[in-house]
Amino acid sequence: METHGEELIEINGTVETIIYQNEQNGYTVCDLSLNDAELITAVGIMPYLCEGETIQASGKWTSHPQFGRQFQIEVYEKQLPATETAIMKYLASGAIKGIGRAMAKKIVDKYGLDTFDVLENNPEWLSEISGISPKKAREAGESFKAQFGMRTVMMFCRDYFGPSTSVKIYQRWGSGAVDIIKRNPYVLCDEIGGVGFEKADAVARSLGISRSSRERIGAGIKFVLTYNENQNGHTYLPMDKLIDTSCRLLGCEKETAEDELGALVMKGRLVLEKIDGRKCIYTKRMHDAEQYIARKLDIIEETEHKVDAMNISALIEKMQIENDIVYAKLQKKAIIDSINNGVFVLTGGPGTGKTTISKAIIRIFESMGFKVALCAPTGRAAKRMSEATGREAKTIHRMLETQRNGNDELIFLRNENDPLDDDVIIVDESSMIDVFLMEALLKATRAKTRIIFIGDASQLPPVGPGYVFRDIISSERYNTVELTHIFRQARQSLIVTNAHAVNHGEHIDLTSKDGDFFYLPRTDDMQTLQTVVDLCKKRLPKSYGASIFNGIQVITPSRKGECGTEALCAALQAAINPQAKNLKELKRQNTVFREGDKIMQVKNNYAVEWQKDGVDGMGIFNGDIGVILEIDYQKEEVTIDFEGRIARYDFAAFDEVELAYAITVHKSQGSEYPIVIIPLYRYTPKLLTRNLLYTAITRAQQMVILVGDGQVADAMVDNNRQTKRYTGLEYILRRYEDE
């Protein structure tokens, strides 16, 4: 869609037909009758717009690939319909709750041009009309005020935010939003997603609020904490670091920040903890979450879970005979400990037998009549767990029955009031679980339920805040078995042996040409990129029948750089799915999406509906990979196939999707792919680390191909830099042990 010119054009018109409207974000397509009777198509964020309404709007003419000339509305203002015919059409459209076509005629027949005045100021008068009860009249008045309260909010916000953010603000606070913002604009960065401190600060400046106001200082301090939670994974910050960072952000004196921090702690909005003798500051929400995790794990562990040792030995012996297997000493210990403890942790790298033990544990518990639930943090991890064990595994979100409430907040239907009824919960890829997801899982877990955490402690930390799996292990509070022996079959795989070598700080032998691990040296980054494209487009499909869609995944350390995801995705898209007349396109920001493109969902979306084999479901999650099947210009809709789940996205909601011909190592966590290609290129040492390379290698099932500068691989192995995460769970768990 092209935009012609930069000057905004003003128009006035009446809404004749609503062609499409997204209730969540207000994106609307409508036929608009202009004052000279010309009928045009208008598109834009116009929440609660109804047929019969008159609007004054500013925007630009655009050219749609399929539907031609349209008016893209940037800013608009509702105006009350001025004639009885327009009033009648507006009411008949269903804009006012409880009023349909027949009732609209009765109201306009009685009150004529005074209809809106009655609705706003004397709605009880409507009960004089046959068929309208006093309750219905009151609801109609409230509905009318809500319609035009939105107008006030949109007008106030248009100088600061785009229409979609204005919609969020109205949905959060209703017609009182303007008063709330004027009292304290910093509530915006606390409660409205996508509004950071800088934007809220700009609103405050325009309202004349002092830079030294307590509201500003307090909001800045809280912003530093929440920013570090979301971007750096910290669950708290040391008080001295928090004060220094806040002062730089706010441009205030240290004493001012310390005074306001003390006040926030006194009010209970922030929490002060001493961790290893150092003063540390939490948000209340984060502090509550870590405290709950520690307390609930303690309760589960203290609940009696012992089973007669003779019975366990007999069951293990039976398992060995039935499966023609002899468990190693450490494997037997893992099986026994998982049965005898409320909380059990199994960790180890690839090829050390985690799956073998998992299957044994499941079968033994089932033979004892226990109900076993399997889960993992991501859809791909859950799918892999199902394939490995032969049992159904769900995502943790699905198991907890995730929904969004009226405020678009995430809630779990399974919780302390309605816990899971399983006797055993086995959690795979536990290293990916952040603080809030662990808290939700434990809230739905009964005290008498055994919970088993399985994962690889050497993987990258979770994307979200915390380092739960590592902290649980480091606390030494719970029975943990670490598998280190690589079994004979696994030792035949260079993927496994090289992964362990990297984890132990040993350089990879890049000269080997056999097996499942290959290195293709290239002298510069552009050659590396071209080789990756050639592998994906020609060489691997020709040799192995694999394609970028069903077998090959390019995994790279960063989004940026010559071989970052942005450069690789653009090059791979151009080579594998180039522009063609029969392929429709959609441009978002600087990315062109095309029918046939490989894409990834980059944000959990619990509201997306999908169908698979005639079964309906909801939720597409961060890391899910799919292919664009169709871009429908008429419906403003994109159809995507997520490995058999067919979902439809509105154009306006397509900012949650990215091209996935190449993905970052962080985005690959919890997933495995038949063939993994890893470009080796020089970039910031912050990202070129040992555990990043280890994580990338362990994503491959059948083959790893390194392409580029071999010295980069050596440098990554040598760089055992671990990004510092301030987390308090280990300390809290140790404290529980001492009490």
Side-chain angles (χ1 to χ4, degrees):
M1 193 177 289
E2 297 178 19
T3 301
H4 304 290
E6 296 300 325
E7 294 293 326
L8 292 182
I9 303 165
E10 287 193 1
I11 62 170
N12 291 277
T14 301
V15 180
E16 296 293 336
T17 309
I18 298 290
I19 299 170
Y20 171 81
Q21 191 165 59
N22 184 310
E23 293 182 2
Q24 294 298 315
N25 57 34
Y27 184 80
T28 303
V29 181
C30 66
D31 282 336
L32 203 61
S33 175
L34 302 187
N35 293 341
D36 59 3
E38 178 189 358
L39 193 68
I40 67 167
T41 300
V43 299
I45 304 293
M46 296 177 281
Y48 307 107
L49 193 67
C50 300
E51 292 176 3
E53 286 189 298
T54 300
I55 64 170
Q56 181 178 15
S58 297
K60 303 171 185 177
W61 287 106
T62 63
S63 178
H64 193 285
Q66 184 172 344
F67 302 110
R69 197 169 184 243
Q70 294 182 339
F71 193 75
Q72 177 73 47
I73 291 179
E74 302 288 338
V75 178
Y76 84 105
E77 179 181 354
K78 289 185 182 182
Q79 298 175 324
L80 290 174
T83 67
E84 289 189 8
T85 301
I87 293 171
M88 169 72 183
K89 184 167 186 177
Y90 169 72
L91 293 179
S93 71
I96 305 301
K97 183 179 178 182
I99 297 178
R101 184 173 298 277
M103 197 60 67
K105 187 175 187 310
K106 289 182 181 181
I107 294 171
V108 176
D109 284 347
K110 184 172 180 64
Y111 297 111
L113 295 176
D114 294 328
T115 294
F116 288 147
D117 183 60
V118 171
L119 278 165
E120 184 171 11
N121 299 308
N122 301 101
E124 67 277 6
W125 291 1
L126 296 178
S127 61
E128 297 173 7
I129 298 172
S130 174
I132 300 182
S133 65
K135 180 183 177 184
K136 196 171 184 180
R138 187 169 59 252
E139 289 176 347
E142 291 171 354
S143 179
F144 179 80
K145 287 178 181 177
Q147 282 286 326
F148 288 89
M150 178 68 194
R151 169 188 174 184
T152 305
V153 175
M154 294 290 286
M155 290 296 292
F156 175 81
C157 290
R158 70 181 181 181
D159 292 333
Y160 311 110
F161 309 110
S164 57
T165 300
S166 300
V167 171
K168 288 182 185 179
I169 290 169
Y170 179 75
Q171 289 175 338
R172 177 68 182 89
W173 293 308
S175 55
V178 174
D179 290 336
I180 290 170
I181 294 169
K182 284 182 176 178
R183 282 198 301 270
N184 180 11
Y186 295 103
V187 297
L188 288 164
C189 55
D190 280 344
E191 301 194 36
I192 305 297
V195 179
F197 176 79
E198 289 183 1
K199 285 187 178 181
D201 206 27
V203 176
R205 283 198 304 274
S206 73
L207 294 172
I209 294 175
S210 169
R211 288 177 58 81
S212 60
S213 71
R214 297 193 65 176
E215 289 82 5
R216 180 174 186 269
I217 304 303
I221 291 170
K222 287 186 288 183
F223 171 75
V224 171
L225 275 176
T226 55
Y227 178 87
N228 277 280
E229 286 177 6
N230 297 327
Q231 298 300 317
N232 299 320
H234 302 312
T235 63
Y236 70 83
L237 284 180
M239 191 167 80
D240 55 337
K241 287 184 175 290
L242 174 60
I243 292 294
D244 289 345
T245 306
S246 299
C247 288
R248 286 196 299 272
L249 172 72
L250 296 163
C252 68
E253 295 297 323
K254 184 176 179 181
E255 292 75 16
T256 303
E258 288 175 339
D259 288 346
E260 185 56 31
L261 175 58
L264 289 169
V265 171
M266 288 291 291
K267 293 173 185 175
R269 295 177 186 173
L270 300 180
V271 179
L272 170 65
E273 277 275 8
K274 270 197 172 182
I275 297 178
D276 295 327
R278 191 178 191 182
K279 290 182 179 179
C280 302
I281 304 294
Y282 282 87
T283 60
K284 186 177 186 305
R285 175 73 184 88
M286 185 65 76
H287 186 260
D288 288 348
E290 279 198 342
Q291 292 285 336
Y292 183 88
I293 292 168
R295 185 168 66 252
K296 188 61 174 283
L297 287 173
D298 198 58
I299 290 169
I300 294 171
E301 179 66 9
E302 292 303 314
T303 302
E304 180 62 43
H305 291 94
K306 293 283 185 183
V307 175
D308 183 82
M310 292 293 290
N311 287 342
I312 299 176
S313 297
L315 287 169
I316 292 175
E317 184 62 32
K318 183 182 178 184
M319 287 285 300
Q320 292 185 133
I321 294 170
E322 288 178 353
N323 295 284
D324 190 25
I325 190 172
V326 177
Y327 296 119
K329 185 177 180 181
L330 201 56
Q331 288 181 311
K332 286 183 180 179
K333 173 175 168 52
I335 296 168
I336 293 168
D337 287 351
S338 72
I339 295 170
N340 279 331
N341 292 277
V343 179
F344 174 67
V345 179
L346 178 66
T347 183
T352 56
K354 294 194 300 294
T355 300
T356 299
I357 295 173
S358 299
K359 290 194 284 189
I361 289 170
I362 293 166
R363 288 175 185 150
I364 288 176
F365 275 125
E366 287 178 343
S367 71
M368 296 166 64
F370 287 11
K371 185 178 179 182
V372 182
L374 310 183
C375 63
T378 68
R380 294 182 75 92
K383 181 181 178 183
R384 198 175 73 251
M385 193 181 189
S386 295
E387 292 168 349
T389 62
R391 304 289 193 279
E392 182 188 18
K394 299 179 180 179
T395 63
I396 298 173
H397 289 92
R398 183 179 164 210
M399 186 172 74
L400 299 183
E401 299 177 26
T402 309
Q403 285 189 1
R404 290 275 178 184
N405 63 15
N407 293 325
D408 200 35
E409 296 167 333
L410 181 66
I411 59 171
F412 300 96
L413 299 184
R414 306 309 293 266
N415 51 39
E416 290 169 309
N417 298 322
D418 186 17
L420 300 164
D421 58 359
D422 305 288
D423 302 303
V424 183
I425 297 174
I426 301 176
V427 190
D428 201 10
E429 293 288 354
S430 296
S431 64
M432 295 182 67
I433 302 177
D434 65 28
V435 166
F436 295 130
L437 187 57
M438 181 63 79
E439 178 194 33
L441 174 61
L442 292 176
K443 281 187 173 180
T445 303
R446 299 175 302 170
K448 63 181 181 180
T449 298
R450 292 170 172 82
I451 188 160
I452 298 168
F453 298 112
I454 301 174
D456 183 348
S458 297
Q459 296 285 333
L460 292 170
V463 175
Y467 216 155
V468 178
F469 190 59
R470 183 202 64 179
D471 285 351
I472 289 173
I473 294 171
S474 299
S475 74
E476 300 181 346
R477 281 290 317 283
Y478 308 105
N479 212 290
T480 299
V481 170
E482 180 181 4
L483 303 174
T484 55
H485 176 71
I486 306 173
F487 287 89
R488 184 178 62 186
Q489 186 175 357
R491 281 202 303 271
Q492 297 171 2
S493 166
L494 284 176
I495 294 174
V496 173
T497 55
N498 282 335
H500 283 274
V502 168
N503 201 30
H504 294 143
E506 301 166 8
H507 290 174
I508 301 169
D509 179 5
L510 298 177
T511 62
S512 176
K513 301 295 182 184
D514 299 322
D516 52 11
F517 200 102
F518 302 93
Y519 168 57
L520 303 178
R522 294 296 181 267
T523 56
D524 61 52
D525 293 346
M526 187 50 65
Q527 283 189 2
T528 298
L529 183 144
Q530 291 168 350
T531 301
V532 170
V533 171
D534 189 51
L535 284 167
C536 294
K537 184 181 180 180
K538 297 177 182 176
R539 294 168 63 175
L540 291 173
K542 182 179 179 181
S543 299
Y544 301 98
S547 78
I548 195 73
F549 298 102
N550 63 14
I552 305 167
Q553 185 60 61
V554 180
I555 299 178
T556 188
S558 174
R559 296 175 61 89
K560 303 296 182 180
E562 294 281 351
C563 292
T565 57
E566 293 178 4
L568 281 164
C569 279
L572 287 163
Q573 181 193 46
I576 294 168
N577 191 37
Q579 187 177 31
K581 288 184 179 179
N582 64 321
L583 297 178
K584 293 193 283 292
E585 296 180 349
L586 173 67
K587 186 172 182 180
R588 280 292 177 267
Q589 258 78 60
N590 297 318
T591 303
V592 173
F593 295 94
R594 191 172 294 138
E595 290 175 337
D597 273 339
K598 181 178 183 179
I599 57 88
M600 172 182 276
Q601 177 79 13
V602 295
K603 180 181 178 183
N604 288 342
N605 189 327
Y606 306 90
V608 176
E609 298 178 357
W610 51 261
Q611 284 188 326
K612 182 177 182 179
D613 301 328
V615 177
D616 294 335
M618 291 187 72
I620 300 293
F621 303 113
N622 186 2
D624 286 350
I625 288 179
V627 176
I628 296 177
L629 299 181
E630 182 184 10
I631 297 173
D632 190 323
Y633 294 136
Q634 185 170 5
K635 294 181 180 178
E636 303 273 346
E637 188 175 79
V638 182
T639 303
I640 304 174
D641 180 355
F642 288 98
E643 297 183 320
R645 294 172 295 160
I646 308 301
R648 289 173 175 80
Y649 283 61
D650 296 314
F651 280 9
F654 213 62
D655 56 354
E656 298 177 352
V657 169
E658 294 179 356
L659 292 176
Y661 295 101
I663 62 175
T664 63
V665 180
H666 283 88
K667 288 294 184 186
S668 74
Q669 284 180 268
S671 300
E672 283 187 354
Y673 312 93
I675 300 173
V676 167
I677 301 173
I678 306 170
L680 300 173
Y681 68 107
R682 296 192 179 276
Y683 200 61
T684 171
K686 181 180 178 181
L687 287 176
L688 300 181
T689 63
R690 181 184 300 175
N691 71 335
L692 197 92
L693 180 59
Y694 173 78
T695 300
I697 291 171
T698 56
R699 299 308 90 205
Q701 296 168 314
Q702 299 169 15
M703 184 184 300
V704 168
I705 303 175
L706 303 181
V707 184
D709 186 345
Q711 291 183 355
V712 171
D714 291 344
M716 292 179 79
V717 172
D718 293 339
N719 182 9
N720 198 27
R721 181 181 184 274
Q722 302 271 342
T723 302
K724 173 66 178 175
R725 280 204 175 189
Y726 293 110
T727 64
L729 183 59
E730 177 188 347
Y731 171 79
I732 298 167
L733 287 169
R734 288 182 180 275
R735 189 175 65 193
Y736 267 105
E737 185 177 33
D738 296 336
E739 290 177 354

